[in-house]
Amino acid sequence: MRKIGFWAEKEPNEEQENKTEQCKTEETAAKKSVVRVYFPARGFACSYYNDKFDLKKGDRVYVDGKLEGLLGFVTEVSYCFKIRLSEYKRVIYRVDTEIRGKLYLLGDFFISFGRNVIPKGKIFPWFICPNAEDDVVCSYDEGIEAEIANTGSPCDELPPDDIIPYFCIDKNTVSAVVDLGKAHPNGMYEVGFTFDGTKASRMTCGCCDIGFCMHESAAVSALRGILTAIEKNEKFAEMYNESGYAALINKNSVLENTLNSNKITCMELL
């Protein structure tokens, strides 16, 4: 069994990685439209102009304007229109809800050991609006460190899936979505850090708190519980030792985003 903070140096071969890349669909050309988008967080719908994507009913999107940052669902699409662009905000991002590859059941999560099945680049927008590339600044100078096994909360069990809807371990790097919306006004944020056998360091969080915030504390605590759960399953431990990679996602998020979308999904649930 591998110890926390260390991984097998053997890299997954190309054939193994390609197993999760079967039956890729081609990107469709953008098609101009006016779409009606419903925002569950606000309980109402608005109309937006789209010229970047070929949108269909059921697509998950982000828009600019007053509702920027809120996930919306396309409920209607019109290709016949005449509008003033100055009066319409736009669709700026379409969420990719396709999943292809093997997912294993682990408590209230699905877990994958293949980097291309539920990668953070695809899954993060399910929960958090992507940042503009020129709108992000990051520094690791004199960062705070935290003990992995001493975070002040239970760390020998899987974390609640509503608090940690997504968690990715890539060798010694962690990327997680932490949702404290029900217990903390700061809500849902992206947390990242590196770890060795005992400590987490280079911690970052998108919230406005300074120092070791509640989101970082929840993510550090979750790491130990996830690694412990993997270690208890011989098959999972073997796959994790082989790749040094594991990604977990809330089961309900997978079902809601894949079964209710218009995308073809190819999952092998084990």
Side-chain angles (χ1 to χ4, degrees):
M1 177 59 56
R2 95 197 238 317
K3 295 181 179 180
I4 295 175
F6 300 90
W7 66 88
E9 292 298 332
K10 182 180 178 181
E11 297 292 341
N13 59 48
E14 185 176 353
E15 181 180 356
Q16 290 174 324
E17 291 296 330
N18 286 340
K19 287 182 180 179
T20 61
E21 292 294 302
Q22 299 174 2
C23 305
K24 277 189 173 181
T25 55
E26 295 183 0
E27 287 291 329
T28 54
K31 191 172 182 180
K32 294 181 181 179
S33 59
V34 172
V35 297
R36 194 74 173 167
V37 180
Y38 175 75
F39 299 91
R42 293 292 184 267
F44 61 80
C46 297
S47 296
Y48 293 86
Y49 175 61
N50 161 63
D51 62 353
K52 293 185 176 181
F53 315 99
D54 181 15
L55 293 179
K56 306 294 182 183
K57 184 177 179 180
D59 279 340
R60 275 71 168 153
V61 298
Y62 289 98
V63 301
D64 63 4
K66 293 183 178 180
L67 298 180
E68 181 177 354
L70 294 181
L71 182 64
F73 302 80
V74 175
T75 59
E76 298 179 59
V77 181
S78 174
Y79 302 111
C80 183
F81 57 87
K82 183 178 181 180
I83 62 172
R84 289 185 177 182
L85 292 179
S86 60
E87 296 178 351
Y88 277 76
K89 297 300 181 180
R90 299 179 182 237
V91 175
I92 60 174
Y93 191 92
R94 179 179 60 185
V95 178
D96 183 356
T97 57
E98 283 189 271
I99 292 181
R100 298 183 179 277
K102 293 181 179 180
L103 294 175
Y104 301 84
L105 188 60
L106 181 64
D108 291 326
F109 294 91
F110 286 129
I111 184 170
S112 175
F113 301 94
R115 284 180 167 78
N116 298 315
V117 182
I118 47 174
K120 65 178 184 179
K122 173 182 288 188
I123 302 301
F124 268 23
W126 290 22
F127 305 102
I128 302 172
C129 182
N131 295 312
E133 292 184 1
D134 60 351
D135 193 37
V136 178
V137 177
C138 187
S139 173
Y140 301 106
D141 188 32
E142 298 183 4
I144 295 174
E145 294 185 343
E147 296 290 335
I148 295 175
N150 186 26
T151 59
S153 58
C155 56
D156 58 351
E157 298 179 353
L158 284 172
D161 65 321
D162 58 339
I163 294 179
I164 309 289
Y166 179 77
F167 201 94
C168 177
I169 307 171
D170 191 349
K171 294 188 176 178
N172 283 353
T173 300
V174 166
S175 302
V177 175
V178 180
D179 183 5
L180 299 180
K182 297 179 180 179
H184 195 265
N186 283 357
M188 189 181 304
Y189 289 99
E190 173 185 348
V191 173
F193 59 88
T194 61
F195 68 98
D196 57 19
T198 59
K199 292 183 179 181
S201 59
R202 295 167 62 91
M203 289 183 288
T204 61
C205 179
C207 75
C208 297
D209 292 344
I210 297 177
F212 189 45
C213 71
M214 295 179 66
H215 305 95
E216 292 169 340
S217 177
V220 171
S221 179
L223 172 63
R224 177 75 185 200
I226 290 170
L227 290 177
T228 299
I230 292 174
E231 290 172 355
K232 289 179 178 178
N233 186 302
E234 183 177 350
K235 183 176 181 180
F236 290 176
E238 181 181 351
M239 290 187 288
Y240 180 48
N241 286 332
E242 179 73 15
S243 66
Y245 178 93
L248 296 85
I249 187 170
N250 176 309
K251 286 190 303 185
N252 291 332
S253 296
V254 174
L255 298 177
E256 291 173 2
N257 283 281
T258 58
L259 298 182
N260 294 331
S261 72
N262 50 53
K263 302 296 182 183
I264 298 175
T265 296
C266 180
M267 295 183 293
E268 183 178 354
L269 303 180
L270 302 168

